[in-house]
């Protein structure tokens, strides 16, 4: 019973590099989302998806790309990393009808 | 724009010393108010959902209450294992499953 799995757990990048944070869930949830967590600012929504092939922007989408080709996976892409993207990233999912989010364990990203 | 403010930012309690955490919110059309617990290095874990003013929910030493402007998380006779960051979030009527989070309260319970 894995729930929401995020990889990698830790990553260090140099400014300008690109990378993908992976998120997979095994609960058949239609809704998936990415949040970033910064000290004193709480969790802020980056992008979300209500089903395969459907994505939309959240509060802080700039510099990030997402796609949803399957129900299970929702990768987050950083196209050209910047120090301002240093943060802890959380993937979360839920059924569309149920509004309780299940979170992954997080991915800590440092951009030098 | 939905806003959530939690206070205090940090709270130190002795084991057995009861207290309350506050979550003030502004949202035009509340669908639900959520409380999550977050341990260091882990993702938030769901505790409660409250839907309407006057509603209360309990789980072990925790009780969550809701008014039209704020929610309280009451902790009765806390134990060291209750030490964590507690997050409050609101969901707008037209926001689907999106949540707006507060900054959290870091609770430390000393034996």
């Amino acid at each position: 019973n894995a729930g929401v799995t995020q990889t990698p757990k830790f990553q260090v990048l140099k400014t300008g590099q690109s990378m993908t944070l992976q998120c997979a869930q095994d609960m058949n949830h239609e809704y998936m989302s990415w949040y970033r967590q910064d000290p004193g600012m709480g969790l802020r929504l980056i992008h979300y998806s209500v089903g395969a092939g459907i994505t939309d922007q959240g509060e802080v989408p700039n510099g990030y790309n997402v796609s949803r080709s399957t129900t299970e996976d929702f990768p987050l892409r950083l196209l050209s990393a910047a120090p301002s993207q240093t943060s802890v990233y959380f993937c979360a999912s839920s059924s569309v009808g149920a509004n309780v989010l299940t979170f992954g364990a997080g991915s800590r990203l440092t951009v030098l | 724009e939905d806003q959530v403010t939690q206070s205090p930012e940090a709270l130190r309690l002795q084991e057995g010393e009861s207290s309350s955490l506050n979550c003030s919110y502004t949202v035009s059309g509340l669908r639900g108010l959520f409380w999550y617990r977050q341990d260091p290095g882990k993702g938030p874990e769901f505790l409660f959902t409250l839907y309407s003013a006057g509603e209360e929910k309990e789980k072990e030493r925790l009780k969550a209450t809701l008014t039209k402007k704020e929610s309280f998380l009451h902790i009765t006779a806390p134990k060291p294992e209750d030490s964590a960051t507690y997050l409050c979030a609101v969901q707008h009527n037209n926001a689907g499953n999106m949540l707006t989070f507060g900054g959290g309260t870091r609770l430390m319970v000393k034996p």
Side-chain angles (χ1 to χ4, degrees):
Chain A
N1 196 14
V4 178
T5 302
Q6 291 184 234
T7 56
K9 195 161 180 62
F10 300 96
Q11 182 71 48
V12 179
L13 290 178
K14 293 181 180 178
T15 297
Q17 287 185 318
S18 62
M19 78 154 300
T20 299
L21 299 177
Q22 301 290 345
C23 175
Q25 53 91 9
D26 62 358
M27 298 170 284
N28 204 31
H29 285 167
E30 302 94 338
Y31 180 87
M32 296 186 74
S33 55
W34 278 101
Y35 287 83
R36 60 178 288 173
Q37 186 173 38
D38 302 293
M41 301 195 72
L43 286 148
R44 292 180 293 168
L45 182 64
I46 305 171
H47 284 285
Y48 66 97
S49 168
V50 297
I54 306 169
T55 63
D56 208 343
Q57 297 180 350
E59 181 185 356
V60 288
N62 293 340
Y64 306 95
N65 235 353
V66 291
S67 60
R68 184 96 179 269
S69 57
T70 67
T71 300
E72 295 78 19
D73 300 298
F74 191 45
L76 179 71
R77 297 183 186 84
L78 282 71
L79 305 175
S80 178
S84 61
Q85 294 178 304
T86 293
S87 187
V88 182
Y89 291 85
F90 288 97
C91 180
S93 72
S94 70
S95 298
V96 169
N99 51 10
V100 174
L101 290 177
T102 299
F103 283 83
S107 296
R108 181 176 292 274
L109 175 66
T110 301
V111 183
L112 303 175
Chain B
E1 183 181 323
D2 301 344
Q3 287 193 324
V4 181
T5 303
Q6 292 187 245
S7 62
E9 288 187 12
L11 181 62
R12 287 189 172 200
L13 299 174
Q14 287 296 129
E15 185 172 1
E17 180 187 1
S18 301
S19 188
S20 296
L21 281 54
N22 177 262
C23 171
S24 298
Y25 66 90
T26 304
V27 59
S28 55
L30 179 71
R31 181 181 176 194
L33 184 140
F34 298 77
W35 283 99
Y36 283 83
R37 170 189 169 131
Q38 186 176 24
D39 293 301
K42 296 188 176 181
E45 184 179 324
F46 171 74
L47 290 174
F48 304 108
T49 310
L50 302 166
Y51 294 101
S52 57
E55 188 175 0
E56 298 183 352
K57 288 195 177 171
E58 287 188 67
K59 181 179 181 180
E60 296 181 359
R61 295 176 291 283
L62 300 177
K63 182 168 84 172
T65 62
L66 181 65
T67 73
K68 288 187 178 180
K69 292 184 178 180
E70 56 192 351
S71 177
F72 292 94
L73 185 65
H74 307 278
I75 303 176
T76 302
K79 298 182 177 182
E81 53 261 43
D82 294 322
S83 297
T85 296
Y86 291 86
L87 302 171
C88 172
V90 297
Q91 190 173 62
H92 188 285
N93 266 333
N94 299 322
N97 286 33
M98 289 186 288
L99 297 180
T100 300
F101 282 86
T105 294
R106 191 172 72 254
L107 174 67
M108 293 154 282
V109 182
K110 300 225 167 186

